[in-house]
Amino acid sequence: MKKTTSTLSLLLILAVWTTSLFAQSTPPATSAKDRLAGFSKRKSLIENSLVAQVPFKNIGPTVMSGRVVDIDINEKDPTHFYVAYASGGLWKTENNGASFTPLFDNEAVMSIGDIAVDWETETIWVGTGENNSSRSSYSGTGIYKSTDSGKNWEHLGLEESHHIGRIILHPENKEIAWVASLGHLYSTDEERGLYKTTDGGKTWKKTISINEMTGIVDLVIDPENPDVLYAAAWERMRTAWNFVGSGEGSGIYKSTDGGETWDKLNTKKSGFPATKGVGRIGLAVAPSNPQIVYAMLDNQDLRDKKKEDEKYEVTKEKLKSMDAKVFANLKEEDINEFLDRQNFPQSYNATDIKAEVAKGDLKPIDLVNYLEDANAMLFDTPIKGAEVYRSDDGGKTWKKTHEDYIESLVYTYGYYFGQIRVSPTNPDKIYTVGVPIIKSEDAGKTWKSINGDNVHADHHALWVSDSREGHLVLGNDGGINISYDDGETWFKCNSVALGQFYSVNVDMAKPYKVYGGLQDNGVWMGKHTYQYSDSWHQSGKYPYQSIMGGDGMQVEIDTRDNATVYTGFQFGNYYRINTTTGERKKITPKHELGERPLRFNWQTPIYLSRHNQDVLYMGSNKFHRSLNKGEEFKTLSGDLTTGGKKGNVPYGTLATIHESPLKFGLIYVGSDDGLIHVSKDGGYNWEKVSDGLGGKELWVSRVQASAHKEPRVYASLNGYRSDNFEALVYASEDYGKTWKKIGLDLPAEPVNVIKEDPENEDILYVGTDHGLYISLDRGKSFMAFYQNLPAVAIHDLVVHPRDKDLVVGTHGRSIYVANVEHVQQLTPELLTKGLHAFEVSSLRFSTRWGKKSWSGWNGFFEPEVELPFYAKNAGTVTLEVSTKEGVALQKMNVEAEKGLNYLTYDLSFDEKNLSSYQSLLDEGSKEKVELGKGDNGKYYLQPGSFNLKLIQDENESTVKLEIKKPRGKMPRKPQKKTP
């Protein structure tokens, strides 16, 4: 969220205006009761799934990781610690970050705001719901607790809290804990505040309650007196179009009776701000002197006005009130200097602009309006920003530690940061975080960056060792970093896939490459055959490659060369890149001088026509088309949204574009304010077709034209930005004129993507904030994918048309792939069968089967073939292996689940069948084959054709297996010499 208003009063007016308008135009927030009922429904869709056994594998990437929100470290053994990720769950390491184990993959939510660990008993407390207020800060369902190191979890309530700022455990009484609840992000609620339990979380007592927009974001305890606590209250409210991150409800509170009662510390006489501009606050108590308390404040008050540098004759402030006559007398060099300073396109110059103003076609203020969109003041901001305050008397009085502004730390998005830490031995040595991490050794008077190499810029968690000076563990948007020299050098601990992908796509290379844009980690590409390994440290080449920075967005690939890629970063900054040569060119369409700036969504949609890959579509609040690979764009539409709303977030933007695979020029677009339009002539004319969706002003997360029937189209709406968690998916058979809601059995989870299978028109895939679902009957009913796939947010997916892989982009666990070739064959006819074996791939015989590996340390070379089959009922299935002549070779039983199953057969045969098999091979054979036992004690099938028969009760199904001859000659059976 970027602040763009010029006065605080306007911010406050907007807060009231947007709150009331928000309540009128969007559905109500979904209750925690309904959300938890959705969790139960999710589990039932897993239990009854016919595809629950379809195996997913994670293909990374890992090195860029994802947003860390908290770290809890064992002071007695710092190699043992837990890491909580914003959307990637909870992880444990016992080897200083060399490897991690996930602990929280299948609860109601995976998003975490804070964790607390009792290291004596290995009891873990998890507060769900990220404590940041970002665009993808997922809400939680309360507090969870594990008393067995994360093996099992108990839900302890506070489910309406949505976002947990901090958990503090009593250092002596294990039954006492305090929880800071931030409350809902996109709606008002009464559960914001501070909670205390005295019975281990069975019951809770609310001890701070301010208002329905103010929660508690941070909480610290006096290390010498557990009855003394400090809490940071934060008033904040987000909508899809606006964010207000400050208010009079914000402030610092202190308790001296164990959190039972609280006093507000930031009074007008305290020295700490008590204005409407008080934003997020981070707190820290100095362990060596608990009377010393530090607070990091995101101060949204305006800076003192300063005259703009007098060396500039033309400024935005002057142009706002300048008339045409004054403008006419300006020197052209001064106007051109302004154009250069503000990065106007080179096509604009003072001579032409003066002529336009003289004719009355332009006004001087148009030069300002050209620049100022909802994201224009990301860095050029009039607010005070980050400030650090210190109290030496336990919070009674405060003093700002520095005279000048702390520049280039939190910019306008201080809501995203807010942590401050104190050295355990030196109360004047402090650390605080933003972009970047900074350190002061003189109580905050001066600061220096300790970001360093291998360290991401955006920071959210920091641990400072009590026992080893300079030992730091840092959590940021790029994972975990560790330093042993107080930030001079860092090493990265990113061995697991925790990337927060917004998008995913594939090319047609062999093997094909996967592309995706990530939150604050750019755009990456890599081969889909990636398997995690540290071997790239030896080769020096990581299997994935970064091709774009910033917040990575959508990716389109020209599959004619698999090298021309269209991608970019937030708010419509897109480029055409040649991944072979490295050549790149910015291609974002621009508005004309005299027009209001185009409104680009955070995730601006692009789409490359599959009919002609020279044609690229792009959406702002209007529809743009390029016929020459982005060299030039033509705007073909007017505003295809409701027109936007006042606020500091671009809104009233297009969010999705899709062209029919069956007809060139049949194009659908969906907006963030609930509109869907269709064009049947390539974008020249548009018809609004979203009225049948019930008039909800919700984000159109996806619109998908069918690849099987031209009039058919699917759409999904997403209510995340109003805390509405309904699963809203629709189908139309008449180009969107009428819509039917489908997926009525989906759980209450916002839908991010719906895709149709390219092979089977009855199959739909849906990705939500908590999982991946499939329908085999065009949306009448759904079931869950589950095998190896955590309950993470699914933001995007694509089915590779050649390799029949389902590639899934998750927002928290990187990319997963599953082959769906057999899923695509689950037709209504096949589903009526009791048992069905699918075709198996042939393979080539090797004389190495059963032999030891070359080193002897890596086991044996053992073959295997995967036999996929469908069983209408769960139960025992028998596999009988025989030659084509009917000689029995192997028999084995497996327990099958209802639906798809994957039986792995190692190509061995039973030794009791050795004689009959040897006789068959010897019969009529010119080259005798010796059936020798492998080093692993097994006998293996020889080249030939075999029957694989599956039997379950009265049902059976048989497929052929072909083992091809090796490229070399087969070993011959020794022959007796003739005397």
Side-chain angles (χ1 to χ4, degrees):
M1 183 45 3
K2 287 43 177 186
K3 294 277 190 246
T4 62
T5 52
S6 59
T7 65
L8 185 59
S9 59
L10 179 56
L11 274 176
L12 298 170
I13 292 170
L14 283 172
V16 176
W17 180 79
T18 53
T19 301
S20 60
L21 182 59
F22 175 82
Q24 296 170 7
S25 59
T26 55
T30 302
S31 70
K33 179 181 178 181
D34 288 342
R35 294 179 67 199
L36 291 173
F39 177 44
S40 297
K41 183 177 287 188
R42 184 200 317 167
K43 290 190 286 188
S44 71
L45 294 184
I46 292 170
E47 293 168 358
N48 299 315
S49 177
L50 300 180
V51 297
Q53 303 305 310
V54 175
F56 281 80
K57 65 177 180 178
N58 189 287
I59 61 166
T62 64
V63 292
M64 76 291 294
S65 192
R67 188 162 64 252
V68 172
V69 293
D70 195 30
I71 311 164
D72 206 303
I73 296 178
N74 187 347
E75 284 284 358
K76 295 181 180 179
D77 178 10
T79 66
H80 182 184
F81 59 89
Y82 295 89
V83 182
Y85 290 83
S87 58
L90 177 66
W91 295 74
K92 174 182 179 179
T93 179
E94 295 180 294
N95 53 20
N96 208 35
S99 63
F100 290 85
T101 302
L103 302 175
F104 202 71
D105 277 10
N106 298 299
E107 303 308 313
V109 296
M110 282 180 63
S111 176
I112 298 176
D114 193 61
I115 56 174
V117 180
D118 180 344
W119 288 100
E120 291 183 4
T121 62
E122 287 285 341
T123 298
I124 311 166
W125 296 64
V126 172
T128 58
E130 184 182 356
N131 57 21
N132 297 307
S133 299
S134 186
R135 290 170 176 80
S136 55
S137 293
Y138 292 106
S139 58
T141 52
I143 302 293
Y144 292 77
K145 180 180 176 181
S146 172
T147 56
D148 56 7
S149 301
K151 296 182 179 67
N152 297 284
W153 295 93
E154 178 186 4
H155 185 221
L156 300 182
L158 300 186
E159 54 268 16
E160 284 290 0
S161 58
H162 274 214
H163 298 272
I164 298 298
R166 191 72 69 205
I167 303 172
I168 296 291
L169 305 182
H170 196 287
E172 299 164 3
N173 189 333
K174 300 184 183 304
E175 296 296 301
I176 297 177
W178 299 269
V179 170
S181 166
L182 269 169
H184 297 192
L185 179 55
Y186 286 95
S187 56
T188 59
D189 70 291
E190 298 293 337
E191 200 157 333
R192 304 166 192 252
L194 196 285
Y195 291 84
K196 179 180 180 180
T197 180
T198 57
D199 55 13
K202 295 176 183 177
T203 60
W204 297 93
K205 178 183 179 181
K206 189 175 185 181
T207 63
I208 296 181
S209 180
I210 300 171
N211 61 52
E212 62 181 9
M213 292 175 60
T214 303
I216 307 299
V217 66
D218 205 358
L219 181 68
V220 292
I221 190 168
D222 186 323
E224 295 181 359
N225 183 355
D227 284 336
V228 176
L229 298 104
Y230 300 87
W234 185 21
E235 182 171 321
R236 56 94 164 101
M237 180 67 183
R238 230 192 204 284
T239 63
W241 57 88
N242 193 56
F243 181 71
V244 179
S246 66
E248 290 184 326
S250 301
I252 303 175
Y253 290 77
K254 180 179 181 178
S255 174
T256 57
D257 57 6
E260 293 294 326
T261 61
W262 297 83
D263 295 316
K264 189 173 184 181
L265 300 181
N266 60 315
T267 63
K268 291 183 178 180
K269 296 180 180 180
S270 68
F272 194 94
T275 66
K276 295 178 180 179
V278 176
R280 180 170 178 170
I281 301 170
L283 299 171
V285 176
S288 59
N289 183 355
Q291 284 297 300
I292 297 176
V293 185
Y294 285 95
M296 178 189 176
L297 168 66
D298 173 33
N299 193 332
Q300 293 289 305
D301 283 329
L302 297 179
R303 298 184 178 191
D304 296 332
K305 288 188 177 181
K306 293 182 179 181
K307 289 185 179 180
E308 209 164 351
D309 196 331
E310 292 299 328
K311 71 180 180 180
Y312 298 131
E313 294 296 330
V314 182
T315 67
K316 288 194 288 184
E317 286 303 314
K318 293 176 181 178
L319 288 169
K320 287 178 182 179
S321 57
M322 188 179 294
D323 62 27
K325 291 182 180 180
V326 174
F327 189 84
N329 291 323
L330 292 175
K331 294 179 181 179
E332 289 194 359
E333 56 263 35
D334 291 333
I335 297 175
N336 283 329
E337 186 276 333
F338 173 81
L339 298 176
D340 290 340
R341 183 157 40 94
Q342 300 296 336
N343 295 314
F344 271 73
Q346 291 297 312
S347 57
Y348 292 113
N349 61 78
T351 302
D352 293 341
I353 292 174
K354 290 189 77 171
E356 293 293 310
V357 171
K359 290 189 297 182
D361 292 338
L362 287 178
K363 297 177 181 179
I365 197 173
D366 287 333
L367 291 169
V368 181
N369 292 336
Y370 182 87
L371 299 169
E372 292 190 346
D373 59 22
N375 192 45
M377 297 178 72
L378 172 58
F379 300 104
D380 181 17
T381 170
I383 64 171
K384 293 180 179 179
E387 294 181 332
V388 174
Y389 290 82
R390 170 170 163 158
S391 173
D392 290 288
D393 53 12
K396 292 179 183 178
T397 60
W398 299 82
K399 185 178 180 180
K400 192 168 68 170
T401 66
H402 47 96
E403 293 183 3
D404 296 328
Y405 296 116
I406 302 178
E407 304 285 10
S408 303
L409 182 66
V410 300
Y411 303 98
T412 58
Y413 44 103
Y415 69 86
Y416 196 48
F417 308 106
Q419 309 300 320
I420 188 166
R421 300 289 182 266
V422 189
S423 163
T425 57
N426 180 359
D428 291 339
K429 184 178 180 181
I430 55 178
Y431 309 81
T432 191
V433 300
V435 183
I437 175 174
I438 58 176
K439 176 178 71 173
S440 173
E441 299 193 66
D442 55 10
K445 293 184 179 68
T446 61
W447 298 86
K448 78 168 190 175
S449 170
I450 56 171
N451 224 73
D453 295 334
N454 292 319
V455 182
H456 197 282
D458 296 22
H459 303 283
H460 309 286
L462 178 66
W463 173 82
V464 181
S465 174
D466 284 348
S467 57
R468 176 170 178 164
E469 185 72 20
H471 182 191
L472 309 175
V473 181
L474 176 65
N476 49 55
D477 278 12
I480 291 289
N481 294 95
I482 298 178
S483 175
Y484 287 98
D485 53 15
D486 213 24
E488 291 297 318
T489 56
W490 300 87
F491 64 88
K492 192 181 290 288
C493 301
N494 291 348
S495 61
V496 289
L498 288 150
Q500 295 175 296
F501 277 85
Y502 287 121
S503 67
V504 69
N505 212 340
V506 295
D507 66 15
M508 294 298 289
K510 292 185 178 182
Y512 70 84
K513 295 188 292 294
V514 178
Y515 304 73
L518 299 104
Q519 191 278 329
D520 213 19
N521 279 290
V523 180
W524 290 69
M525 70 175 189
K527 295 179 181 178
H528 81 281
T529 52
Y530 169 91
Q531 292 184 346
Y532 175 75
S533 169
D534 283 330
S535 62
W536 68 274
H537 292 175
Q538 186 77 8
S539 69
K541 186 176 181 181
Y542 187 64
Y544 277 83
Q545 176 186 353
S546 174
I547 60 175
M548 176 62 65
D551 287 89
M553 294 300 153
Q554 297 188 11
V555 187
E556 289 290 306
I557 309 101
D558 189 332
T559 57
R560 295 172 298 187
D561 61 10
N562 296 310
T564 301
V565 176
Y566 302 87
T567 191
F569 55 91
Q570 64 267 38
F571 297 122
N573 292 284
Y574 275 79
Y575 295 77
R576 184 184 66 234
I577 302 172
N578 186 300
T579 57
T580 300
T581 66
E583 179 186 1
R584 64 179 57 202
K585 178 180 180 179
K586 190 170 184 179
I587 60 171
T588 303
K590 294 287 290 183
H591 60 294
E592 297 294 334
L593 187 59
E595 297 177 341
R596 295 298 301 180
L598 298 168
R599 297 190 300 273
F600 288 101
N601 193 279
W602 174 260
Q603 296 183 54
T604 295
I606 58 172
Y607 191 78
L608 193 65
S609 177
R610 277 30 174 191
H611 303 282
N612 179 349
Q613 294 185 76
D614 288 340
V615 178
L616 178 67
Y617 305 123
M618 188 170 179
S620 58
N621 54 311
K622 302 176 181 180
F623 177 81
H624 312 276
R625 183 194 66 191
S626 173
L627 299 177
N628 53 7
K629 303 181 179 181
E631 286 289 331
E632 300 167 306
F633 274 98
K634 185 174 182 180
T635 301
L636 298 185
S637 77
D639 196 333
L640 294 173
T641 76
T642 59
K645 293 182 180 180
K646 292 181 179 179
N648 49 31
V649 183
Y651 182 74
T653 65
L654 295 184
T656 178
I657 299 173
H658 194 242
E659 181 181 45
S660 169
L662 302 177
K663 183 180 180 181
F664 178 65
L666 174 56
I667 304 166
Y668 295 88
V669 297
S671 71
D672 59 8
D673 52 8
L675 301 187
I676 297 176
H677 286 83
V678 62
S679 174
K680 297 179 181 178
D681 57 6
Y684 289 100
N685 295 283
W686 294 89
E687 177 186 1
K688 181 162 70 78
V689 293
S690 48
D691 291 344
L693 298 177
K696 296 182 176 69
E697 282 194 21
L698 297 178
W699 204 283
V700 181
S701 57
R702 203 59 55 106
V703 60
Q704 176 86 5
S706 173
H708 302 284
K709 297 287 177 62
E710 183 183 307
R712 183 178 296 160
V713 60
Y714 298 95
S716 59
L717 302 184
N718 186 304
Y720 161 83
R721 293 158 190 86
S722 57
D723 288 330
N724 183 279
F725 302 105
E726 292 179 74
L728 302 172
V729 287
Y730 300 86
S732 173
E733 299 289 339
D734 54 10
Y735 303 96
K737 291 180 181 179
T738 60
W739 294 91
K740 179 181 179 181
K741 188 176 181 182
I742 58 176
L744 300 180
D745 58 346
L746 284 169
E749 299 170 2
V751 176
N752 301 309
V753 57
I754 181 170
K755 288 285 184 76
E756 178 192 59
D757 187 85
E759 296 286 334
N760 186 333
E761 69 173 328
D762 291 329
I763 293 179
L764 299 175
Y765 306 97
V766 164
T768 76
D769 281 353
H770 301 293
L772 179 61
Y773 304 92
I774 182 175
S775 172
L776 302 179
D777 52 16
R778 251 185 293 151
K780 295 176 184 177
S781 62
F782 277 85
M783 57 192 75
F785 284 109
Y786 180 73
Q787 192 70 237
N788 306 326
L789 189 66
V792 66
I794 308 298
H795 267 232
D796 200 9
L797 57 89
V798 61
V799 179
H800 198 282
R802 182 192 66 222
D803 292 37
K804 304 184 188 306
D805 283 342
L806 176 61
V807 183
V808 180
T810 78
H811 197 77
R813 298 295 277 272
S814 293
I815 300 172
Y816 286 81
V817 173
N819 186 269
V820 292
E821 179 181 2
H822 307 110
V823 176
Q824 292 173 333
Q825 297 176 50
L826 294 179
T827 61
E829 294 76 19
L830 188 146
L831 293 173
T832 62
K833 296 181 179 180
L835 195 65
H836 178 82
F838 296 93
E839 292 183 4
V840 297
S841 301
S842 61
L843 69 165
R844 194 173 295 278
F845 179 84
S846 172
T847 56
R848 301 171 72 191
W849 290 354
K851 302 291 180 64
K852 286 184 178 180
S853 62
W854 68 272
S855 68
W857 294 102
N858 296 320
F860 303 93
F861 293 106
E862 294 184 311
E864 64 179 33
V865 64
E866 185 177 76
L867 173 56
F869 67 93
Y870 167 79
K872 192 172 185 178
N873 299 299
T876 302
V877 171
T878 301
L879 169 65
E880 294 183 350
V881 182
S882 62
T883 67
K884 65 179 180 180
E885 294 83 5
V887 175
L889 296 174
Q890 185 65 283
K891 186 175 182 179
M892 57 188 291
N893 292 330
V894 296
E895 289 303 311
E897 300 292 334
K898 180 180 179 180
L900 280 176
N901 292 266
Y902 297 87
L903 186 159
T904 300
Y905 170 44
D906 66 0
L907 301 180
S908 68
F909 63 88
D910 196 322
E911 187 172 0
K912 69 181 182 182
N913 298 318
L914 175 63
S915 177
S916 57
Y917 188 28
Q918 184 71 69
S919 298
L920 177 66
L921 293 175
D922 290 344
E923 187 178 321
S925 175
K926 295 180 180 179
E927 295 183 351
K928 303 298 182 182
V929 177
E930 178 67 46
L931 288 173
K933 182 182 291 188
D935 296 337
N936 59 358
K938 295 181 180 180
Y939 291 90
Y940 286 98
L941 304 182
Q942 301 296 301
S945 295
F946 302 89
N947 294 322
L948 306 181
K949 180 189 288 187
L950 295 175
I951 305 170
Q952 185 186 44
D953 300 326
E954 73 279 4
N955 300 305
E956 63 179 55
S957 181
T958 302
V959 292
K960 302 293 183 183
L961 169 64
E962 183 74 21
I963 300 179
K964 299 178 182 179
K965 292 182 179 180
R967 290 185 175 87
K969 290 186 177 181
M970 293 284 291
R972 295 184 179 182
K973 182 178 181 179
Q975 301 292 311
K976 293 182 180 180
K977 291 184 179 181
T978 303

